[in-house]
Amino acid sequence: MRAVLRGIHDSVCFALLAVTAVLAAPGQPAPSPQQPAKTQAAPIAVRYTDIRKQAGITFVQDSTTSPEKYYLETMGTGLAWLDYDQDGLMDLYFVQSGATDAYQPAKPLRSALYHNNGDGTFTDVTQKAGVGGEGHYGQGVAVGDYDNDGYPDLYVTGYGRAILYHNNGDGTFTDVTAKAGVADEGEWSSSAGWFDFDKDGWLDLVVLNYLDWSPKNNLWCGDRAPGYRSYCSPNNYKGRRTKLYHNNHDGTFTDVSEKSGVALPESKGMGLALADFNNDGWPDIAIANDTWPNFLFLNNHDGTFKDVSMISGLAVSEDGRYEAGMGIDAEDVDGDGFLDVYITHLDMELNRLYHNDGDETFTDVTYTSGIGNKAMLLSGVATKFLDYDNDGWPDIVQANGAMLENVNLYHSLITYKEPLLMYHNLGNGRFEKTSESLGPDFMRPVAGRGLATADFFNDGTIGIAVNCRGDFPELLRNEGGNANHWLEVLLIGTKSNRDGIGASLKLTSEGFVRTEQSKGGTSYMSASDPRVHFGLGKRTRIESLVITWPSGQVDKLTDVPIDKIIAVKEGAGIVPHPFPKVTPR
């Protein structure tokens, strides 16, 4: 997964490097002329409450821990929000691990799909849906309507193979992996994401593969004293190659990994963000790699990608190190119209914020943004941008958790279970840590792995779900975020792919301008609410919402309500769609 075990000597060195970075940090990028600085209105109070138990979610992630310390065990698993039955409510899918040569569970392990009942509870519909994946050591999940039939499909990554579940539209799914040709056989796939890289109106698939590890080459790492064996570093194993599957429009895919150029460099892929980073209207690929240079592939508009990783500044930290890249997301944090990138790392490293300079280069602004070394003792795993207080500026949530259960034997300041982390956006790309203000449930230590966000109450508040290694998940309801105004948009493509992935949305409200993209991938092995969310603060009127679709179609809407979820169909504007507000029992 990443360099899980560092020696004491390395820890001290990393700390000294972090101090050096403080002294050497460059000046804050000049504020963008496109967006005024954030108005400092009185903040609203937001609290996160874990409602997992009363919601009826009983899923438990199996850590598959064994004395052999199989590297696979550290990974945890992902999760996904999706409206699988199109009733307007976000349902929840948890990926499960599986048996190994060194671990045989008492009962067969299965992934789980939970239906949102609309009353604050969920029902396990895994058996009926047929998405349990028994016998599959699952890892992550990507959600996308690959056949444009109006129902989201599931791609579940894993060790040895992956699974593509086609949504039949009647509450059931069919395993179509063999027919589709996307099994990724013999690989160890982690994250995956859907996007339309050639803009032909059909979703293509990117799959990240991790290490050349197997039980046969599992090494002994750590001290030989009883209880001290540890998981190895990814530096002990070769990396694999990124896969890109092109959609043939007939339910099958063609492997274009080498032809497109994305498979040329060796990779140790953990998380990916599929979005337009240079504002040329074509989707690009950013990949967080583990102890390996991060990747940035820019779209050449001809079915190929250009590797600009090193010259972009995204490949390494400001001090030139390859870090334990894990979770990744992209968002315009300062309102200059370009997507910035946040990547999580191991404890004794820094979580990095890279500012998009608008010329296909990035600047590491970790310290000048105010993030700095505030989480240096936490192991960052998954991350998402979200506007948790609806003030119009994207905040950062991060799931944390060390890789070793016995990490305290090696690092006295580090614990295995760690609290979530929240950075609140102060405007123009500066952040402050606000975790402690969000309630005890938010701060409860967990071994966090997959994280995904969603408005699962349909009330404008962005909640959080976390898949925790060897434990129950967290289902955190946002209480108070809708004290500010908001808008959410479900995209329905016609000429473009049905999900509208790759669309750009520009909202203007009382002089405030915010541009969002519908992205693929993000976080770590997880998929979030596909609806595009805008916080409006105290603004009460939307002058316009301009949507530029991947096909080139531009829809300008002027009669846009606030505090609503709307469905926008390409070329037709706002169309009827159910979005029932959840009323708890």
Side-chain angles (χ1 to χ4, degrees):
M1 180 184 252
R2 30 223 286 241
V4 174
L5 176 63
R6 311 285 196 213
I8 297 298
H9 172 75
D10 287 345
S11 300
V12 174
C13 289
F14 286 177
L16 290 174
L17 283 170
V19 173
T20 302
V22 174
L23 298 176
Q28 174 73 5
S32 164
Q34 299 183 31
Q35 182 64 53
K38 179 177 177 179
T39 302
Q40 296 299 326
I44 63 171
V46 176
R47 185 182 184 91
Y48 278 98
T49 301
D50 190 352
I51 63 168
R52 191 269 311 167
K53 188 178 295 185
Q54 54 265 45
I57 292 177
T58 59
F59 174 85
V60 177
Q61 201 276 343
D62 195 311
S63 63
T64 70
T65 300
S66 73
E68 296 302 314
K69 293 291 182 181
Y70 278 180
Y71 200 101
L72 183 65
E73 298 165 11
T74 68
M75 299 285 281
T77 51
L79 71 162
W81 289 102
L82 72 160
D83 183 5
Y84 78 94
D85 56 355
Q86 291 297 285
D87 64 353
L89 295 164
M90 298 308 299
D91 310 301
L92 191 52
Y93 183 74
F94 295 99
V95 181
Q96 183 61 284
S97 54
T100 69
D101 294 345
Y103 177 80
Q104 295 297 321
K107 296 180 180 179
L109 298 179
R110 300 181 181 88
S111 297
L113 177 62
Y114 285 88
H115 177 260
N116 189 332
N117 298 323
D119 60 1
T121 69
F122 291 75
T123 298
D124 187 335
V125 294
T126 309
Q127 185 171 355
K128 176 186 176 183
V131 291
E134 185 177 327
H136 178 233
Y137 199 114
Q139 291 284 260
V141 57
V143 178
D145 182 3
Y146 74 87
D147 60 349
N148 291 333
D149 66 354
Y151 289 89
D153 309 299
L154 289 170
Y155 185 78
V156 183
T157 62
Y159 181 76
R161 64 186 176 94
I163 301 174
L164 177 61
Y165 291 111
H166 174 259
N167 190 329
N168 300 319
D170 60 0
T172 69
F173 291 75
T174 300
D175 182 342
V176 295
T177 315
K179 175 190 174 184
V182 292
D184 200 37
E185 200 76 38
E187 296 284 358
W188 179 3
S189 51
S190 55
S191 292
W194 298 95
F195 74 152
D196 183 4
F197 79 91
D198 57 354
K199 301 207 295 185
D200 64 355
W202 298 76
L203 290 179
D204 311 299
L205 179 65
V206 180
V207 182
L208 302 190
N209 291 307
Y210 188 34
L211 299 178
D212 187 13
W213 173 91
S214 75
K216 293 181 179 179
N217 66 8
N218 190 58
L219 302 174
W220 181 296
C221 291
D223 294 345
R224 291 279 178 173
Y228 274 77
R229 185 173 183 178
S230 70
Y231 298 103
C232 295
S233 161
N235 289 321
N236 292 108
Y237 301 96
K238 290 183 178 180
R240 302 298 294 175
R241 307 285 173 169
T242 302
K243 292 284 186 70
L244 175 59
Y245 294 99
H246 178 258
N247 192 326
N248 298 326
H249 313 174
D250 60 359
T252 69
F253 292 77
T254 297
D255 186 339
V256 295
S257 309
E258 293 189 11
K259 177 183 177 182
S260 66
V262 303
L264 297 182
E266 182 182 343
S267 178
K268 297 181 180 181
M270 287 278 90
L272 77 167
L274 307 174
D276 181 4
F277 290 99
N278 58 359
N279 288 357
D280 66 351
W282 291 75
D284 310 305
I285 304 171
I287 297 174
N289 283 311
D290 191 356
T291 64
W292 202 253
N294 301 315
F295 293 160
L296 179 60
F297 296 106
L298 295 182
N299 198 318
N300 290 326
H301 313 174
D302 61 0
T304 68
F305 290 83
K306 179 182 179 182
D307 184 352
V308 299
S309 307
M310 288 297 182
I311 62 174
S312 72
L314 198 65
V316 298
S317 66
E318 181 184 40
D319 46 0
R321 291 186 298 124
Y322 308 150
E323 296 178 300
M326 193 89 164
I328 184 173
D329 199 3
E331 190 65 88
D332 177 9
V333 302
D334 55 0
D336 66 357
F338 287 87
L339 293 181
D340 310 298
V341 175
Y342 185 76
I343 300 177
T344 63
H345 297 108
L346 183 68
D347 56 73
M348 299 300 173
E349 296 179 339
L350 302 180
N351 303 299
R352 300 284 176 176
L353 178 62
Y354 294 94
H355 176 263
N356 190 329
D357 300 325
D359 59 358
E360 299 184 355
T361 69
F362 290 78
T363 299
D364 184 343
V365 295
T366 302
Y367 275 98
T368 57
S369 67
I371 291 172
N373 62 356
K374 290 183 173 65
M376 199 168 187
L377 298 180
L378 301 178
S379 289
V381 183
T383 188
K384 273 292 294 174
F385 283 106
L386 78 169
D387 187 355
Y388 76 88
D389 60 350
N390 281 324
D391 66 356
W393 294 84
D395 312 304
I396 301 171
V397 65
Q398 178 177 309
N400 306 290
M403 303 299 110
L404 276 175
E405 301 96 325
N406 59 352
V407 67
N408 62 302
L409 297 177
Y410 290 93
H411 299 288
S412 61
L413 297 178
I414 308 299
T415 60
Y416 172 55
K417 293 185 177 182
E418 301 170 342
L420 299 181
L421 182 66
M422 185 75 79
Y423 289 113
H424 185 246
N425 193 330
L426 299 176
N428 281 337
R430 291 195 61 83
F431 292 82
E432 68 174 351
K433 183 168 171 278
T434 57
S435 310
E436 290 80 3
S437 71
L438 300 176
D441 287 353
F442 189 88
M443 292 298 297
R444 183 175 61 250
V446 297
R449 293 300 185 260
L451 177 148
T453 60
D455 178 6
F456 56 90
F457 271 76
N458 280 352
D459 62 357
T461 60
I462 303 302
I464 303 165
V466 183
N467 211 348
C468 303
R469 181 176 182 245
D471 206 345
F472 292 104
E474 292 190 303
L475 183 61
L476 297 171
R477 181 184 180 185
N478 180 320
E479 297 174 340
N482 54 9
N484 280 328
H485 297 299
W486 54 278
L487 172 72
E488 289 172 21
V489 183
L490 174 69
L491 298 172
I492 303 174
T494 53
K495 291 182 291 184
S496 303
N497 66 84
R498 176 77 180 209
D499 292 338
I501 294 176
S504 175
L505 297 83
K506 182 178 180 181
L507 179 143
T508 302
S509 173
E510 299 179 15
F512 178 79
V513 179
R514 182 77 203 161
T515 301
E516 297 283 351
Q517 290 187 30
S518 176
K519 302 182 290 285
T522 76
S523 191
Y524 165 72
M525 303 201 305
S526 299
S528 293
D529 191 334
R531 300 172 297 190
V532 180
H533 175 263
F534 292 92
L536 300 174
K538 299 303 179 185
R539 303 170 189 88
T540 59
R541 188 168 63 91
I542 296 174
E543 280 80 39
S544 66
L545 176 64
V546 179
I547 303 176
T548 303
W549 298 83
S551 68
Q553 168 76 28
V554 178
D555 292 335
K556 182 174 182 180
L557 311 179
T558 54
D559 187 17
V560 181
I562 65 167
D563 299 337
K564 299 286 186 183
I565 307 174
I566 60 173
V568 179
K569 190 173 185 178
E570 184 177 9
I574 299 175
V575 296
H577 194 287
F579 297 109
K581 188 170 289 188
V582 172
T583 304
R585 293 185 192 179

